[in-house]
Amino acid sequence: MKIDLNCDMGESFGRYTIGNDEAMMPYITSANIACGSHAGDPMVMDRTVALAARYGVGVGAHPSFPDLQGFGRRPLTLSPAEIENYILYQLGALAAFARAHGVPLVHVKAHGALANMAAVDPGLAEAIAKGVARFSKELIVVCLAGSAMIEPTEAVGLRVAREAYADRVYEPDGTLQSRKIPGSVIEEPEKAAAQVVRLVRDGVIVAHTGQEIGVQADTICVHGDTPTAIPIAQTIRKKLEEASVEVKPLGSFL
Amino acid sequence: MKIDLNCDMGESFGRYTIGNDEAMMPYITSANIACGSHAGDPMVMDRTVALAARYGVGVGAHPSFPDLQGFGRRPLTLSPAEIENYILYQLGALAAFARAHGVPLVHVKAHGALANMAAVDPGLAEAIAKGVARFSKELIVVCLAGSAMIEPTEAVGLRVAREAYADRVYEPDGTLQSRKIPGSVIEEPEKAAAQVVRLVRDGVIVAHTGQEIGVQADTICVHGDTPTAIPIAQTIRKKLEEASVEVKPLGSFL
Amino acid sequence: MKIDLNCDMGESFGRYTIGNDEAMMPYITSANIACGSHAGDPMVMDRTVALAARYGVGVGAHPSFPDLQGFGRRPLTLSPAEIENYILYQLGALAAFARAHGVPLVHVKAHGALANMAAVDPGLAEAIAKGVARFSKELIVVCLAGSAMIEPTEAVGLRVAREAYADRVYEPDGTLQSRKIPGSVIEEPEKAAAQVVRLVRDGVIVAHTGQEIGVQADTICVHGDTPTAIPIAQTIRKKLEEASVEVKPLGSFL
Amino acid sequence: MKIDLNCDMGESFGRYTIGNDEAMMPYITSANIACGSHAGDPMVMDRTVALAARYGVGVGAHPSFPDLQGFGRRPLTLSPAEIENYILYQLGALAAFARAHGVPLVHVKAHGALANMAAVDPGLAEAIAKGVARFSKELIVVCLAGSAMIEPTEAVGLRVAREAYADRVYEPDGTLQSRKIPGSVIEEPEKAAAQVVRLVRDGVIVAHTGQEIGVQADTICVHGDTPTAIPIAQTIRKKLEEASVEVKPLGSFL
């Protein structure tokens, strides 16, 4: 049994800070690093890649729509060619910092509205995958487990890492409960860790209705920008190790 | 006798067009391609690298200050670390398109105010060179012939291509006559070509005073955004070939 | 019989030029001036307002989505509060230049994807109208004649100017023929002028099927960025005057 | 005896937060609100003006260089015409929100590198003043007490508010001690308050050498983004009131 723990990182910008990247690094195995489109700038990218390299955390790109003011969370309609080129641009920019720090670029995880839209739009997912493939067919693409993003990504010849959430409540159909519903984000470390351990050991997530859903996951997303982010990550990591689950970077087993 | 002809390219942005890149391609051997900071965007970069690849023109990065509204021509004070990281970011972004089109990134030429300031500020030149070296020590850095940019660039371990101008009038001390002086930009194709042929054959440029200046150049900058750009480039190329000068990309002889 | 002729203006940016604003000024009566979101910058806004003031052309704001790279033509999903505030910001910025040049801000015309979406989405139209009303209830809002934008705009207490196109082919249902269909943009000055004169005199546009459509218009949009823009504007103006139609700014009759 | 207390506000952006504007409002009398250039966006501007209006705090514009990534702190070389137009644009944008909330725009205070440069460059100060005057000659311009910014601002016909600092250590020549020197920023509320009370009562600031400097100030800058910002502001306000100093907005006494 093995699993990767990924976290969005490098989302600060100029004098603005989001998250507590250094404090999260000891608990995760993959960092999805913002590429200057929804967040991040060249200084933040340099610092964040340096941190990941120091902690042995796998470096991935976290590309998004070009929308700093909306933090990449506002749906934007782009042509497939625009998507491909925006992805290529952002991957290249981040890869330069990985190269400068002597570590490989391992994976790609789309951010915000781009990821949400690609999870249900195979054409968009294909455009993202083509952008990634134009950069390198060695990259692993993180896709929401069970989503419509997986098939087009594999069709382009890329490896997929299926992702589940530690701190989100699931609907019986395997989708995430809307953030607008109170309680849809799990804040108690023990509860989040229990969801992860159950998922990794049994391939099961328990929906808010009590129903068990089969979910195959290669990586678990933990958040770095909530008040309880550090204790949640810490507890998940500890409980996984107690359950004899190997926590290791995507690149080492996919 | 051999020389490279370089031209700034890919300076369009979104719906805005500058230059006539495709028409210039047959006459030049190196393209300095904007990286999205003073000009260029992912779609323009993709198109421009594709064009250069098709014409066998060497692909180089043309990084600048982050100032689209000022076209990178307004002096900005940045720390050496900021310079390094901005350079690294832009090189990476452009290199991704080179990779996607199966061609190498060969050279780097700083743009506008960044280049003008680095020509007289060794500390700034060093920061640029360090940013380039962090990406790759194989890259060639284009520096104004005789400028203060050369020494710090070589000290970092990078190859330098010394650059002279086809269409600019020189002062007796080897600097360029200010653009504010009428006639400082040569618009007649024959006159520009004569300056280039004399320079390549004899290592000499004739200043506006009539004085001969010794200039060693590896590459000649031709402009793509003036009304007479195409006939000038065409005439230079023809006259060089008539003078048995080999016109070839920097990467093939430096 | 009277009509206003409006044209999008001030869409240059930094070193980039679009349109030929000065050449169009003699033929139009209202200028929709970009506010720095899809196009325009403070220098361009200053120049364009100065031009309009000099020619006695009515100054209007041409607000858009915040998307310079996409020229405001890419659909973006924003909340009503975001729309209101973006509108307010852009109106205020342009109004400052009008004030500096001693002319009033007369009208507002949404640009690109924002306008296209508002023409069919009353909620979006209402958010735009609320943003305008927060600035001033004296402003006139230009709306596509017959569109869903009119009712919510009037409900907010604003005057509406109904707009028709000189150079676009109409469908029998009163919508514009898609630009993707060859021939959907009228390039012959005489033909465009005939469409306008017929519309103003008889309240009728002839669709490409030959069917007559009733259209009430207060203002006609002419384009400034096509190769035949100037002769089209010139011919429309001339034919209208020959037909004894008064061509005058919106603010003088609405 | 009367004094104004001013504070930079509205410096958040999108999902990024800086400062604790609401907590500061009860202690200050003037808010310098960012206009979307170094910080702030239309949503932040709307919220911040609403807050100031609710607390009866005077609304001012806090214009800056167009440099979000550098938070307006990096020197940029612009022409006087560019300065004028950037100022006009930002004033107009902020004034729209003041108008929407039914409060006047009272003052203008330049931000960061723009302010620092204008304090020693009369030409730059004049360009700023001209931009302000083009918008309205009723606006008050906040200038560092004793600086070269005052004379050109008054020459343009604008009122000046002379500003001193509560939490900065002064040199004997009346300039601020460099932030690079440890201890140059006063963090103890009592000490900052004592500096302010002495200044208002006696027109004197005690330099770090012990020397007394004569300083005439109309407004005191308090910072909102340091850990001790709230207690400092609170203590200053309290000590001023204990010393029978009236703390009131610039617009009420200048």
Side-chain angles (χ1 to χ4, degrees), chain C residues 230-245:
Chain C
I230 306 295
I232 285 184
Q234 215 167 3
T235 308
I236 290 171
R237 183 80 190 228
K238 187 164 149 272
K239 295 290 177 190
L240 283 170
E241 282 164 3
E242 287 172 10
S244 303
V245 176

Side-chain angles (χ1 to χ4, degrees), chain A residues 52-70:
Chain A
R54 176 147 36 99
Y55 282 88
V57 163
V59 168
H62 196 39
S64 69
F65 286 134
D67 181 16
L68 182 69
Q69 205 160 96

Side-chain angles (χ1 to χ4, degrees), chain A residues 69 74-77 82 86, chain C residues 69 74-77 82 86:
Chain A
Q69 205 160 96
R74 307 188 294 202
L76 177 66
T77 304
E82 285 175 311
Y86 279 120
Chain C
Q69 206 160 94
R74 307 187 295 201
L76 177 66
T77 304
E82 285 175 312
Y86 279 121

Side-chain angles (χ1 to χ4, degrees), chain D residues 121-198:
Chain D
D121 176 349
L124 179 54
E126 188 192 24
I128 294 172
K130 282 185 172 170
V132 174
R134 286 179 70 196
F135 188 73
S136 165
K137 291 216 166 175
E138 299 305 311
L139 293 173
I140 297 166
V141 180
V142 176
C143 300
L144 183 64
S147 77
M149 195 175 170
I150 294 175
E151 195 278 323
T153 305
E154 290 180 334
V156 163
L158 292 163
R159 280 172 297 164
V160 162
R162 296 156 302 171
E163 181 184 43
Y165 283 80
D167 65 354
R168 293 292 299 275
V169 171
Y170 277 73
E171 296 287 349
D173 66 355
T175 62
L176 303 176
Q177 192 179 49
S178 165
R179 277 176 182 275
K180 288 174 190 160
I181 297 174
S184 65
V185 176
I186 301 171
E187 284 164 11
E188 308 88 327
E190 294 294 332
K191 208 166 152 190
Q195 175 159 308
V196 173
V197 170
R198 182 78 207 276

Side-chain angles (χ1 to χ4, degrees), chain A residues 5 7 24 26 33 53 58 72 90 102 104 110 125-126 128-129 134-135 137 142 156 167 184 207 223-224 232 241:
Chain A
L5 294 180
C7 183
M24 283 297 283
I33 302 178
Q90 296 180 60
E126 187 191 25
I128 295 171
R134 286 179 70 195
F135 188 74
K137 291 217 167 176
V142 175
V156 163
D167 64 356
S184 65
H223 289 107
I232 286 184
E241 281 164 3

